[in-house]
Amino acid sequence: MKNPDGSDFHGLVWPGVTVWPDWFNPKTPTYWENEFRLFVDPATGIDIDGAWIDMNEPASFCMYPCSNPSAEAISQGLPPSRTSPPPASTLSLPIGTSAPSLISNLLKRDNMYTNVLNPPYAIHHAADNLSARTVFTNVVHSNGLIEYDTHNLFGTMMSSATRDAMAKRRPGLRTFIITRSTFAGAGAKVGKWLGDNLSIWEHYRNSIAGMLNFAALFQVPEVGSDVCGFGDNTTETLCARWATLGAFNPFYRNHNADGPIPQEFYRWPTVAQAARNAIDMRYRLLDYFYTALHQAHLDGTPVLQPLWFQYPKDTNSYGIDLQFLFGESILVSPVTQENVTSVSVYFPDDVFYDFKSYAVTNGAGATVDLSNIDYTEIPVHIRGGVVLPLRVSSAYTTKQLRKKDFELVVAPDRSGKASGSLYIDDGVSITQAKTYTARYSYSGKQLRVSTKGSFDVGGLKYRTVKVLGVESAPSSVSLNGHTLASSAIAYNSTSHSVAVNVTQPLTSSFTLKWT
């Protein structure tokens, strides 16, 4: 990017004195693709599946007016001390361009303003000057546009170009791009994390609204916060609570700055156990959530939802921003205050089932106080009306998880009905040659499972069907018209649930009925 006189604009980032690519320059994508080809060639360098892009607002450490970037780099100790020699310096950049003058750009705007560095209607900017800590607003792009009019596009243009560069070096395969700065439409190509937060309870709470904004309104499904906080020192209890909440972020990452104390989950026994418990739920639910992501790809159905999305007539739900739905059917209600083991949870006028105990809560459009919530736990409920496909157990990796059998959890609504679906593909290809889809329908004490698709699911099976909210033990259960032995049926009078061993291939369609 260029100054109004055509010289390169200089700022300051981690490498020291820095220039930025002009994404409006038609030559830039080719340059960027080549950089990826050179750097991540598995034969000559490293191989990667994705990229994490930071500082792409674009941000600059150089303090306005940044009259001497080199001197500021020295005073700030940038770049940090290296453990290896720096690459050879480049005298000139591979992208040449001549920048139109600032005056010509002002003429394009019909002289609506005369000084974009100090515009007459300045926003209430936390960094004081509009150009502070970023590229100046009078920087000129190759097509004549100025940064004043294009600033918010930089992050999305950069991350989209990165996605395209990755796609060219990995033809046909999905890429995983996480960016800090986004604009409308970014979610079609990239994911986002919510940026630099602090290890404080306020930011823990704010992360919920941040996720809902991006996943439900801005159509960026892959979103999450820096779990346990980025800046400042976290605490054991905050990190434990955040580890459980983070498991229900589409993008789940524990990340902090280089100055605060280390905060890996394993550093505290409480946090480690909290993470294990939450990750166990996350992985068992992963196919359910992957199905939700596929649906979002098809029609834009949000993968995270505020309560009012499912209960639009419930005006009490409109202002709730500390609970949310993971997919359409998993209600997450984290503890949000420091040093407490209770939380007030709003249950709409519907039936809900505790995810672990299967205990029934008949919501009445009112708040219920839940107590004795250990720091290693998070309240999670199944919304009535869904058939959940779950893995029977968790795993360390998604590759291992794909070898685990399924169980179906039927959580009927008040009318005794439930439905659900499962979508499986190879997990890596952009265009799928083969897929697997299952549909579940439950009513009148009968579950119908129908499957289609030619994707090879191997020897995977539906091992168990669990029906919740059953007041008494069934007298008889049949599978495809054949009565099952009593040894295949287990009724739990405490949770009012019945578990049936069906052991059906994942590719089979079947009917389970009980009386």
Side-chain angles (χ1 to χ4, degrees), residues 286-348:
L286 210 54
D287 295 272
Y288 155 82
F289 195 66
Y290 191 80
T291 301
L293 286 166
H294 176 65
Q295 194 64 40
H297 166 70
L298 293 177
D299 62 15
T301 300
V303 297
L304 297 183
Q305 300 181 11
L307 269 65
W308 61 266
F309 268 43
Q310 291 299 323
Y311 303 95
K313 296 182 179 179
D314 184 352
T315 57
N316 294 327
S317 70
Y318 293 174
I320 295 175
D321 61 358
L322 296 179
Q323 296 174 251
F324 62 96
L325 291 164
F326 183 73
E328 293 187 336
S329 303
I330 297 297
L331 176 63
V332 183
S333 308
V335 175
T336 55
Q337 299 296 326
E338 185 175 11
N339 297 326
V340 300
T341 55
S342 62
V343 62
S344 295
V345 175
Y346 182 77
F347 287 105

Side-chain angles (χ1 to χ4, degrees), residues 1-10 19 97-100 138-140:
M1 292 196 284
K2 303 292 185 180
N3 290 309
D5 63 4
S7 62
D8 293 337
F9 175 82
H10 290 168
V19 295
T97 182
S98 57
N138 68 344
V139 161
V140 187

Side-chain angles (χ1 to χ4, degrees), residues 386-389 407-412 416-421 439-450 462 464-467 477-481 498 500 502 504 509-514:
V386 66
V387 179
L388 281 179
E407 68 176 10
L408 296 178
V409 176
V410 181
K417 298 180 179 180
S419 61
S421 63
R439 302 288 179 186
Y440 314 118
S441 176
Y442 178 82
S443 64
K445 299 182 180 181
Q446 179 174 275
L447 172 67
R448 294 182 181 274
V449 176
S450 60
Y462 290 110
T464 307
V465 172
K466 295 179 179 178
V467 183
V477 178
S478 64
L479 177 63
N480 293 329
V498 60
V500 182
V502 294
Q504 293 292 297
S509 297
F510 62 91
T511 300
L512 185 73
K513 188 174 182 178
W514 60 278

